Amino acid sequence: MRITHDNMADQLRNGNPEALSALIEAFSGSVLALCTRILGGVGTPEDIEECVSDVFAAAWNKSEYYDETRGSLRTWLLILAKYQALEIRRKLKRRKNVVVTVGDGALSSIQDGANPVSVFAKQDDPVATEVLSREQQRAVFEAVKSMDPRLRDVFVRRYFLYESIEDIASDLDISRSAVDNRLSRSRRWLRDQLQENAKGGTAFDETR
Amino acid sequence: MKHDEDFSQMLEMLDEDFQMEMLEQLNPKMSDQSSDSAIIRRIEIKTFTKLGLREPAVKRLHANKRRFRWKIATIFTASVLICAGVIAAVPGPVSAALQKWIEFIPGIGTVQQSDGQSNVAVLNRPVRADSPNGFVTVMGVMMTSTQIDVRVNGPGAVMPNNVSFKTENGQTIHLDAGGVATGSQWSGNYIAYGKFGAVPTQETGTIILGSGWNTQIPVQLKLAKSVADMSKLGPTDVHQGVSITAIAQREAQKVQLTLVPQYHGPYHIWDLAPNVVSSDLGIHIQDASGKTYKVNQVLGEGPNSQFTFSPTKGVQDYTVTIPRVDATYQGSARVTLPIPKTGSIAIDKTVNLGGFPIHFIKAERVSDNGSSAGIRYYVDMHASLTDAKELHGFQTGTSYSAELNKQTGVFEWIMIDAKPNQRNMTLHLTEPQVYISGPWKFHIRIQ
């Protein structure tokens, strides 16, 4: 049977190995790029290829959980890749006895340079910097979503997709300092929005 | 950068549905990586193997997977052949053969060790051509006086079996076919051995695909040039029988630094800047004022040997230091170890792995959930920061996790899952991983 983008997900669910082969052929570039960015400097090229292979194996094993109405196959694979690569990065760092921490403690106020997540933490609850509630996640998501598109594109590429500043600058045909400037403005904007939200502001109501 | 970590970590905390929405709704542009077919094929094979699946439409067309057996010369009398851009043009099996003796150095090209007698002509860049069965791409051609190796790939499941190379003087040489095809792509490796005469300085050959393909692809081959030895390309330092040459090239605002190791021994150096106890690379660069520079690794298929850093304007001289390199030795050993029913028991068992002793000291049952038990084996590998060569890790033949010593980066214990009622465990130890200490120091000048 000929595998196309239209029947790939169905054939994957049906357990057709040709669909897996086609999936790898179609999306290995995207998955490899993301895994390389996340594992760069920590893992070897072999670790990265292993990670990409794990992603496609996970896609095969979890194909029944893929829901077309929530996103494309590529998006789903990229999320699987992100989780897989982050997990491997944690293991590699742990193997080297590197302590992986989230933020630098519970802060009650947010200042420039402070961990943005700390805006959600209570002073006596350091664990709060490691987990975000659904409401807090929604606040973060909505804050990013409502950014100026030019800032948001750079912000998401840098912090969500781990692209290098050089690559972003080159792709957008702007200078590195312009990228830095947009990142700085996006961080400041996001901090302000989150702080506003934490104070009980109305910046992120569901209808926005 | 702290900002990067903080904001990335914040976004990593989002649940999967928010992450999906982030990509779907915000639709950021994203740079993909153009993977060469060899990488995709490796990923495909690994994935299918993990899942225990038979690859669909995979046709191993030939058992004959001969490769060039390049005659390696004595390293310290080696001469060096240079030809710009060869490795980039010859990925896959051809480059695998080439890469054993060849290093690609940004700004210089490809450097090959040889005894100075053998000549090699190579294709500088891939050549694409139309064919009745779709396009084909000649990824690489390598020619010596006795061997010709051609790599061609294309879409589809059927690869050409009847392939020959026609030289400039009209000689047609039939090539033996080998390679792999998946349902969507094939990659052919075509080889001939014989006496083809002296390799010309320039060769305009033709790749001929016959038997229904009816395709002729002209290719321009160029002879590699030679220089006297590797040390002419940059400063060289030798410790523990490992010679490393540092080759620096300015590229725009950055400096590309390539480290080329040369050595003889029962080991393979796979990391020239291992990070022992932190995420920082194990390579240090500073200028005469003592200012240190952040070094970035350039990820590639070969060993961790290419780096970049941003120099200070007006500063030409830098010192590069590599404290140690990471090597995998040959060697294997079997050891059977007891599993305590509860708590821990002392073990006093030493095995020799590739010439390095591993002393198993204690076994401890650290977890047991009824379906599997976590068994921790404490080891003493007699490592010391002052040792010239120290064993720091190994493979066990099964999945395991390990704790490393914070100062030395050496295994302190390994943990392996066992069945709850299991009384002992046999490990097949392989691939002793060894730090070889320097330091190798280089004074480089940036033009």
Side-chain angles (χ1 to χ4, degrees):
Chain A
M1 177 177 206
R2 182 176 160 75
I3 304 296
T4 65
H5 276 268
D6 292 336
N7 67 10
M8 202 180 281
D10 280 340
Q11 287 302 311
L12 206 60
R13 289 191 199 97
N14 289 344
N16 181 349
E18 286 186 18
L20 178 60
S21 193
L23 191 77
I24 293 170
E25 180 73 24
F27 299 112
S28 57
S30 305
V31 173
L32 184 64
L34 184 59
C35 293
T36 300
R37 290 198 292 269
I38 293 174
L39 293 172
V42 181
T44 63
E46 289 75 20
D47 291 329
I48 294 167
E49 281 189 24
E50 200 64 38
C51 176
V52 175
S53 153
D54 285 344
V55 171
F56 286 109
W60 173 264
N61 288 327
K62 297 179 177 177
S63 56
E64 68 270 29
Y65 298 112
Y66 168 61
D67 179 355
E68 287 94 335
T69 62
R70 288 174 52 204
S72 67
L73 257 180
R74 180 174 180 270
T75 295
W76 183 62
L77 279 173
L78 287 174
I79 300 302
L80 286 179
K82 187 171 174 179
Y83 280 116
Q84 186 65 33
L86 288 171
E87 180 59 25
I88 290 176
R89 190 178 69 176
R90 274 190 282 271
K91 281 181 184 165
L92 288 169
K93 283 187 168 182
R94 202 177 303 137
R95 219 180 141 217
K96 298 285 186 186
N97 269 343
V98 174
V99 177
V100 181
T101 57
V102 179
D104 46 10
L107 301 175
S108 57
S109 65
I110 194 162
Q111 300 162 352
D112 189 36
N115 181 342
V117 176
S118 63
V119 76
F120 297 121
K122 295 174 184 171
Q123 282 203 334
D124 57 350
D125 185 11
V127 179
T129 57
E130 295 180 17
V131 179
L132 293 181
S133 70
R134 288 290 293 177
E135 289 74 18
Q136 290 165 341
Q137 291 183 41
R138 169 65 63 186
V140 171
F141 175 71
E142 291 296 340
V144 174
K145 193 176 158 187
S146 56
M147 259 183 209
D148 176 312
R150 286 188 315 161
L151 301 186
R152 187 179 65 209
D153 194 44
V154 172
F155 181 90
V156 173
R157 290 179 69 162
R158 179 65 179 150
Y159 298 130
F160 190 72
L161 296 171
Y162 308 90
E163 290 201 44
S164 71
I165 290 174
E166 286 82 357
D167 284 350
I168 298 170
S170 164
D171 194 51
L172 296 179
D173 200 20
I174 58 178
S175 68
R176 190 197 151 99
S177 60
V179 174
D180 279 328
N181 181 271
R182 289 187 194 183
L183 285 173
S184 172
R185 286 165 57 203
S186 65
R187 288 195 300 264
R188 194 164 54 242
W189 191 91
L190 185 62
R191 280 199 191 96
D192 290 346
Q193 296 300 303
L194 294 180
Q195 199 153 33
E196 188 68 25
N197 181 263
K199 285 177 186 168
T202 57
F204 312 116
D205 66 62
E206 291 291 325
T207 57
R208 182 167 180 145
Chain B
M1 218 164 74
K2 186 75 168 63
H3 282 149
D4 292 356
E5 288 174 12
D6 288 342
F7 282 87
S8 290
Q9 283 173 357
M10 180 180 68
L11 297 179
E12 286 162 17
M13 291 181 202
L14 300 182
D15 288 344
E16 186 183 327
D17 55 339
F18 282 121
Q19 303 225 17
M20 289 277 285
E21 278 192 77
M22 188 82 80
L23 278 184
E24 281 294 307
Q25 290 191 24
L26 308 186
N27 193 24
K29 291 177 188 169
M30 178 183 159
S31 310
D32 283 356
Q33 191 160 320
S34 56
S35 327
D36 83 39
S37 56
I39 295 177
I40 296 175
R41 196 168 62 250
R42 278 203 302 272
I43 290 169
E44 191 169 23
I45 290 168
K46 274 184 188 179
T47 309
F48 275 78
T49 304
K50 274 177 195 166
L51 294 169
L53 294 173
R54 199 173 156 198
E55 292 165 68
V58 169
K59 295 162 188 163
R60 298 192 181 279
L61 295 176
H62 242 273
N64 178 10
K65 295 201 82 176
R66 285 179 290 178
R67 288 182 173 181
F68 273 147
R69 297 197 180 280
W70 294 91
K71 185 180 176 185
I72 186 167
T74 306
I75 281 174
F76 297 106
T77 59
S79 67
V80 174
L81 304 174
I82 298 179
C83 178
V86 178
I87 281 293
V90 266
V94 175
S95 63
L98 276 170
Q99 277 174 346
K100 193 162 185 183
W101 320 125
I102 285 183
E103 294 282 344
F104 177 70
I105 300 166
I108 292 181
T110 299
V111 179
Q112 186 197 359
Q113 285 175 205
S114 81
D115 57 8
Q117 302 301 313
S118 68
N119 291 329
V120 56
V122 292
L123 184 67
N124 273 338
R125 57 181 62 85
V127 177
R128 182 172 155 142
D130 290 328
S131 83
N133 299 342
F135 69 87
V136 296
T137 306
V138 180
M139 297 300 291
V141 180
M142 192 167 71
M143 182 180 187
T144 71
S145 60
T146 56
Q147 299 163 20
I148 296 174
D149 194 329
V150 175
R151 168 88 186 277
V152 187
N153 67 25
V158 181
M159 61 177 272
N161 279 323
N162 184 1
V163 177
S164 50
F165 180 78
K166 189 175 181 182
T167 64
E168 207 168 54
N169 62 17
Q171 184 186 7
T172 300
I173 302 156
H174 178 74
L175 306 173
D176 288 343
V180 176
T182 67
S184 55
Q185 186 155 27
W186 55 266
S187 178
N189 194 17
Y190 305 93
I191 301 174
Y193 296 87
K195 292 183 178 177
F196 307 124
V199 178
T201 53
Q202 291 225 4
E203 171 84 32
T204 304
T206 307
I207 312 274
I208 300 169
L209 312 183
S211 300
W213 286 77
N214 300 323
T215 304
Q216 299 200 354
I217 310 156
V219 289
Q220 287 279 347
L221 307 186
K222 270 193 157 182
L223 189 66
K225 295 173 184 174
S226 69
V227 297
D229 59 45
M230 191 67 76
S231 65
K232 287 198 182 301
L233 298 175
T236 299
D237 196 8
V238 184
H239 289 281
Q240 315 304 335
V242 177
S243 165
I244 299 177
T245 300
I247 302 162
Q249 294 286 319
R250 181 185 276 280
E251 191 176 272
Q253 303 303 313
K254 287 186 176 175
V255 173
Q256 290 266 7
L257 180 68
T258 302
L259 303 174
V260 182
Q262 297 175 289
Y263 50 92
H264 275 313
Y267 56 86
H268 167 67
I269 294 176
W270 62 276
D271 194 343
L272 286 150
N275 50 342
V276 178
V277 291
S278 75
S279 58
D280 294 337
L281 288 169
I283 176 170
H284 311 295
I285 298 179
Q286 67 175 41
D287 60 24
S289 73
K291 178 184 173 184
T292 58
Y293 292 81
K294 178 175 167 52
V295 184
N296 294 307
Q297 177 191 353
V298 180
L299 280 178
E301 277 202 65
N304 179 16
S305 61
Q306 293 192 357
F307 309 90
T308 62
F309 71 95
S310 300
T312 300
K313 198 173 180 181
V315 177
Q316 284 189 308
D317 296 307
Y318 299 86
T319 302
V320 178
T321 305
I322 306 168
R324 58 175 87 186
V325 298
D326 205 345
T328 298
Y329 274 62
Q330 293 170 4
S332 66
R334 276 185 187 280
V335 60
T336 299
L337 301 168
I339 295 176
K341 286 181 183 174
T342 58
S344 63
I345 53 173
I347 310 174
D348 182 14
K349 192 172 268 191
T350 299
V351 293
N352 185 301
L353 181 61
F356 297 90
I358 303 170
H359 185 201
F360 287 86
I361 304 164
K362 186 173 78 170
E364 183 180 8
R365 182 181 287 255
V366 294
S367 66
D368 192 339
N369 61 14
S371 59
S372 73
I375 310 300
R376 190 177 286 179
Y377 291 107
Y378 291 82
V379 293
D380 179 0
M381 307 216 283
H382 309 281
S384 152
L385 280 174
T386 57
D387 285 351
K389 295 180 180 178
E390 58 175 1
L391 179 69
H392 67 87
F394 48 79
Q395 295 299 317
T396 63
T398 185
S399 297
Y400 71 101
S401 56
E403 173 78 1
L404 311 189
N405 181 283
K406 286 184 173 62
Q407 273 72 48
T408 61
V410 174
F411 278 9
E412 290 197 326
W413 50 255
I414 58 173
M415 194 159 95
I416 300 172
D417 285 342
K419 291 173 184 166
N421 296 325
Q422 203 172 326
R423 292 287 170 262
N424 54 50
M425 183 182 302
T426 298
L427 302 179
H428 183 205
L429 309 181
T430 58
E431 298 181 30
Q433 294 152 21
V434 176
Y435 288 133
I436 303 175
S437 292
W440 290 263
K441 281 198 170 194
F442 314 96
H443 299 286
I444 59 171
R445 169 160 286 196
I446 310 301
Q447 302 299 328

